[in-house]
Amino acid sequence: MIQLNPIAMKLAELKNLEKKDCIFLEDVDPIFRDDLQTFIIGETMTLKDGKLIIHRSLFRRWLQKIQTEGLDHKKDATT
């Protein structure tokens, strides 16, 4: 049986990240990082101390996307 509590806790961690002034890509849990990287393709990004910053408005749009549409899953290249 899938444990939903850890998933809910991970989503709560993302909500807490939204409150930070600077959200770095590496702050995002690896479970969600691939989806976020796919979401931000084509966006103008900023670096601070050599780390990629995710602007709060972009991060909020991504959170809204995963709450309404879920995470993007990689398609199998053979299908």
Side-chain angles (χ1 to χ4, degrees):
M1 182 176 192
I2 296 174
Q3 297 292 325
L4 295 179
N5 192 31
I7 295 170
M9 290 172 47
K10 298 280 185 196
L11 288 173
E13 289 174 18
L14 290 177
K15 286 288 212 178
N16 285 334
L17 271 180
E18 181 182 19
K19 299 172 187 172
K20 290 178 60 176
D21 288 333
C22 286
I23 304 165
F24 295 104
L25 182 60
E26 63 188 34
D27 293 339
V28 178
D29 191 289
I31 295 170
F32 302 107
R33 203 172 293 157
D34 284 344
D35 188 77
L36 178 56
Q37 287 176 313
T38 301
F39 185 79
I40 64 175
I41 289 176
E43 296 287 340
T44 302
M45 305 305 295
T46 306
L47 293 176
K48 181 177 182 181
D49 300 326
K51 298 177 184 176
L52 187 65
I53 295 177
I54 311 299
H55 294 282
R56 191 180 295 165
S57 61
L58 179 60
F59 191 79
R60 284 182 182 150
R61 288 194 335 246
W62 175 69
L63 277 179
Q64 183 179 18
K65 192 245 0 145
I66 64 171
Q67 290 171 344
T68 58
E69 300 172 26
L71 295 173
D72 292 332
H73 299 285
K74 292 182 181 176
K75 304 264 187 214
D76 186 349
T78 60
T79 58

